[in-house]
Amino acid sequence: MPTGSRGFTQHDHANCVQRALQNADTTCAARGAQLTAVRRRVLEILLESHAAMGAYDVLARLEAEGLGSKPPVAYRALGFLVDHGLAHRIEKLNAYVACTHPGEAHDAAFMICRSCGTVAEAEPKEVLKGTAGAAGFQIESMVIEAEGLCPECNNGAPV
């Protein structure tokens, strides 16, 4: 499994969530940004699983918990998390996922299981950067979204 991916590997998820929340606190404090109760709760919601969630799914959870019922509440919190490197927007799904490298500037590659919706984040292969360089193209940022089947949905077969 590529460095940093979590969605398809067995891991201590409670520890994964706790580390991500601690990193969010540290990142926001270092940047002088406020991780408000709503923003923190949105991050917790995204961290509950490694599946991407739409803004309205997040909003439904916030509304059920009495934290807001208007779409801007969810969109502002998600925008904050994306802007501060704590979450990513998955264009293909029009959804959001917590970042596995929170607070770090990095390019992202997403492997999206078309069956269960699990999303694993990995760093893009350096080969693409090498190919671009050979063509005289300088990559400034990159997001890759690949769709397929995770090992569990693929009957445990290696991806």
Side-chain angles (χ1 to χ4, degrees), residues 45-141:
I45 290 167
L46 293 178
L47 287 165
E48 287 174 1
S49 73
H50 290 286
M53 294 184 71
Y56 281 90
D57 296 323
V58 171
L59 181 61
R61 295 283 302 279
L62 293 175
E63 185 173 12
E65 297 173 13
L67 294 173
S69 61
K70 305 282 187 216
V73 172
Y75 281 109
R76 285 183 191 132
L78 289 164
F80 174 89
L81 296 174
V82 169
D83 290 346
H84 290 280
L86 303 171
H88 294 286
R89 184 168 188 276
I90 308 292
E91 298 291 332
K92 180 170 184 47
L93 303 176
N94 192 24
Y96 299 83
V97 65
C99 179
T100 61
H101 299 78
E104 297 176 17
H106 64 283
D107 293 321
F110 300 102
M111 297 170 284
I112 305 163
C113 181
R114 65 176 166 76
S115 180
C116 69
T118 299
V119 176
E121 178 183 350
E123 294 183 37
K125 301 251 185 223
E126 293 297 317
V127 174
L128 184 56
K129 289 183 180 180
T131 302
F137 183 81
Q138 181 178 349
I139 296 174
E140 294 176 349
S141 67

Side-chain angles (χ1 to χ4, degrees), residues 24-58:
D25 290 335
T26 302
T27 298
C28 289
R31 295 178 180 174
Q34 274 194 301
L35 187 61
T36 64
V38 171
R39 291 169 178 170
R40 184 180 183 83
R41 182 63 189 128
V42 169
L43 181 57
E44 289 172 339
I45 290 167
L46 293 178
L47 287 165
E48 287 174 1
S49 73
H50 290 286
M53 294 184 71
Y56 281 90
D57 296 323
V58 171

